[in-house]
Amino acid sequence: MESFLKRNFEVPAKNPSEDAQRRWRGAVGKLVKNPRRRFRMVPDLDKRSEVEAKKRNIQEKIRVALYVQKAALQFIDAASKRHYQLTEEAKRAGFAISPDELASIATAHDNKGLKLHGGVEGISKKINVSLKNGTNTNDLVMRQNVYGVNRYIEKPSRSFWMFLWDAFQDLTLMILIFCALISVGVGLATEGWPKGIYDGLGISLCIVLVVTVTAISDYRQSLQFKDLDREKKKIDIQVTRDGYRQKISIYDLVVGSKVQDGSGKMLVISVGMRTEWGRLMDTLSQGGEDETPLQVKLNGVATIIGKIGLGFAIATFLVLLVRFLVQKALHAGITKWFASDALIILNYFAISVTIIVVAVPEGLPLAVTLSLAFAMKKLMNDRALVRHLSACETMGSASCICTDKTGTLTTNHMVVDKIWICGVSKSFKGKKTIKGLNSLVSGKVSSILLQCIFQNTGSEVVRGKDGKNTILGSPTESALLEFGLELEGDGSSQHRDCNKLKVEPFNSVKKKMSVLVSLPNGRVRAFCKGASEIILKMCDKIVDTDGSTVALSESQALDVINSFASEALRTLCLAYRDLDQADKGADIPSEGYTLIAIVGIKDPVRPGVKDAVRICKLAGITVRMVTGDNINTAKAIAKECGILTDDGLAIEGPEFRSKSPAEMKELIPKIQVMARSLPLDKHTLVKGLRDTLHEVVAVTGDGTNDAPALHEADIGLAMGIAGTEVAKENADVIVMDDNFTTIINVARWGRAVYINIQKFVQFQLTVNVVALIINFFSACIAGKAPLTAVQLLWVNLIMDTLGALALATEPPNDEMMKRPPVGRGENFITKIMWRNIIGQSLYQLVALGVLMFDGKRVLHLQGPDADPILYTVIFNTFVFCQVFNEINSRDMEKLNVFSGIFSSWVFLMVMASTVAFQIIIVEFLGTFASTVPLSWRMWVVCILIGSISMIVALILKSIPVESEKSHVSHSGYEPLPSGPDAV
């Protein structure tokens, strides 16, 4: 079995190859009761290939179009513009360009068409937009009517009746319906109305119940996924509207909103289905996600068990048929046949088919989907948006979290805490500090400092409707601008009256940003700002209190930087260089600067981070911090969070990059902190950790260039507030509240999913083993199957849908975070599970076997009703064994299985429903279910035998079993012990 699973069902958690997916689908497709239902949550691979081919075709057409564009445009004259007719509605609204023409300019990258309309300014006039003030709120509806809404046309949701139809597409159920119809026909011919229809009608009603409950479960899952999908698409953006900066939903974007992100601005000229995005979404509109590893593994288990069940079904049918033919030959003669004989053989066939229904555990892979949907819904309520099914599942196996600092471990609300200027260090305490600075330095120094702050920035200060200033930009720059506004006060703002000549935006590799400006007096000045160690090397002078320049003492500056860093402050250096007027067209210089100031910026650690890191350590999860900060700053923050231990390794990016591949491989598992890192360093670290059999979670706060690391990790996780859209787009999980403790909640739910599915598998395999063996051996020995087709269908409903609802939706508990993570390659069905399955199966088989072969004597049954009562007791006892076994399965190791049961309302509801329906079936539906009403004494006997399984469970759990060996953590933490004593 193990080799079969490894050969056919090795599908990675992220980005599985199409070949691997087709291989396992081909394997499980050989014995599938209902392919439409089993594969309904996954993509159509044939359609996906077709879509990819269409995408490549479109890309080729665009490439060819761009090649011939210059030549083609030479032959286009003004007459061609008549192809785009302006609608009457657009004319009435005062617009002078059609939506289709705007869309064609954007889609075809038509620069010449753009110039013909007067460029961006000309387009803005034709769509009645001010490039300064943006659109008018009162025009939004009109613009949406003319130019469209920024939504793509989605396919309508599937109705409940479609799910009902899918559930009915079960081959074995169809066979049973066919058997039921024949049974009704033969029964009417032999036994008349209404007695002749009871058997067939009973099977039909039970099938209707199974299909209805299945459809309801599937439909509810689809509604949950629809809510999740709606949440995924919620994106807020900043636009200029009514002359003010506003945050709006992406769905409210209209043609003519001027959008700003970073230092770039754009004019929206096409939205919705007229964009490449809209057309692509229309092409890709085919639901489903790639299969999760657990779904793949359980499909393999289901297939193998299904084949075993098929063998038992065929053997049962052949044994019953041979015994019937032998008895017929001995008594009535083999040549004499009656309609009742056909009914008996048909009943044997129905029982065999029903054994297949029970044997093929269709609920295994579907229970994963149900559990994941339930967990994802709960996590969404807890402000964690899981974008991919596999992420929630994989999170439970995470053994390593690689996180950046800013916006993840810290609040991402930065403030200037200290400043070193003109050789003096000052702690920033608001207006009191500003007053002291103004008395310390001359107006010339203040002017240079303010020029550097306000000119060399990618952020901006905007005034809202309430008249208050709002700073838009990164937290680091916002802190500097806030400081600049305080320093500026109500004084002159002449330092803002400069003309930018050249800009070099911040680069995560260079770790600096520069600008070349023309001052009001006509002189040219360069400003530079960035990481202290980078800027300091570019400076040879420092500004004095009166504005003159003196020689820079590098050792003194380094002492200041290290002093700030040891206080967990992020340090930035600000510098300038005066140039000649002739240098207006020159490149921004890279040396010869004068140091203005060293700024220490404080970013407080988030509340709860230290406790979250402690929980991670208890759970066997190592937290590693990767940051671009100074090594001293990084170590101070890491120690405050509890990440860096006394014997832990903190390393700088340049040192890490200087290592050979072999040295890196040996070093990577030991790293707890990496400072002065580049995005490539984080990617290398994540990849190296994955190669050492870690399940890695890569976390980013405001990292714009972390996409490769997020893509490489088993789970990419981004912060929803601090995170950039690039990071969020590449993430598998988005933490909406930017709280590091939420990551622990995701891990807790991930573990709950894995453990819940294990509980369900343990429960279902026990039922499978007992149902198959009891029916087979009873057929062989007694010539009669004790469980009828209707009864087996009811048991199947308990197992597949109700069992999944009860066990696969149990909430997590704190004990789950006191165990080591499950390593790659570990067996899903553990030795502990096999102990429980085999032990419970043996008990049930013995108990039911005694009832089957000696039940009349044990229960003192006599008279004509003895057989019906006995078989009803056997059925009732079997069901109550499963009810108590389901309670036992709530925990596979702990003795107290009732812990937290009242907080799991779904479990209680399922248990109550199962017992209530069992009473109805036995007491009131005996005609259809082949049961008879039982006395209260017999009910007590059934419940008592079933409840003994709980005593059996206590005995089994006291039997020591060697735990599965989890993978060795390279963090220095020892795996925690498992077993009842540990819990």
Side-chain angles (χ1 to χ4, degrees), residues 38 41-42 189 223 334 339 341 351 353 360 452 461 485 548 565 627 692 727 825 879 959:
R38 179 179 284 192
M41 294 303 300
V42 296
L223 294 180
I334 197 69
D341 295 338
I351 289 173
V353 173
V360 179
C452 187
V461 181
L485 289 172
S548 58
T627 179
T692 54
V879 170
I959 299 174

Side-chain angles (χ1 to χ4, degrees), residues 41 151 154 157-158 163 218-235 251 289 372-381 383-389 736:
M41 294 303 300
R151 292 176 183 266
E154 299 184 28
S157 301
R158 303 179 76 220
F163 284 97
D218 293 349
Y219 180 62
R220 286 181 61 82
Q221 286 181 52
S222 74
L223 294 180
Q224 286 183 333
F225 279 112
K226 189 175 180 182
D227 290 341
L228 288 167
D229 194 51
R230 189 181 299 116
E231 194 72 22
K232 290 176 191 176
K233 295 170 184 172
K234 285 183 181 178
I235 300 174
Y251 295 131
E289 290 194 41
L372 288 172
F374 184 78
M376 291 168 75
K377 182 74 173 177
K378 291 294 184 182
L379 283 170
M380 188 169 70
N381 295 336
R383 308 304 296 150
L385 176 60
V386 181
R387 300 177 71 240
H388 304 295
L389 280 176
M736 308 301 289

Side-chain angles (χ1 to χ4, degrees), residues 256-269:
S257 301
K258 186 162 60 90
V259 183
Q260 178 177 359
D261 183 15
S263 59
K265 295 183 180 180
M266 71 178 186
L267 180 70
V268 177
I269 63 172

Side-chain angles (χ1 to χ4, degrees), residues 175-196:
I175 294 173
L176 284 176
I177 286 287
F178 178 72
C179 292
L181 293 175
I182 295 178
S183 177
V184 169
V186 177
L188 286 173
T190 56
E191 302 183 38
W193 176 270
K195 192 176 180 181

Side-chain angles (χ1 to χ4, degrees), residues 69 71-81 83 110 112 116:
Q69 186 181 42
L73 287 175
Q74 293 177 2
F75 300 99
I76 297 175
D77 55 18
S80 64
K81 294 168 68 175
H83 290 296
D110 187 0
K112 188 169 183 179
L116 287 173

Side-chain angles (χ1 to χ4, degrees), residues 168 173 176-177 180 198-214 354 357 788-798 875 921 925 928-929:
F168 188 73
L173 292 184
L176 284 176
I177 286 287
Y198 289 158
D199 287 344
L201 189 60
I203 294 175
S204 301
L205 290 175
C206 206
I207 288 173
V208 169
L209 180 63
V210 170
V211 168
T212 303
V213 173
T214 298
T354 313
V357 173
T788 67
V790 172
Q791 292 169 359
L792 284 172
L793 283 171
W794 167 235
V795 171
N796 181 72
L797 184 63
I798 294 175
F875 167 59
I921 288 172
L925 297 179
F928 303 104

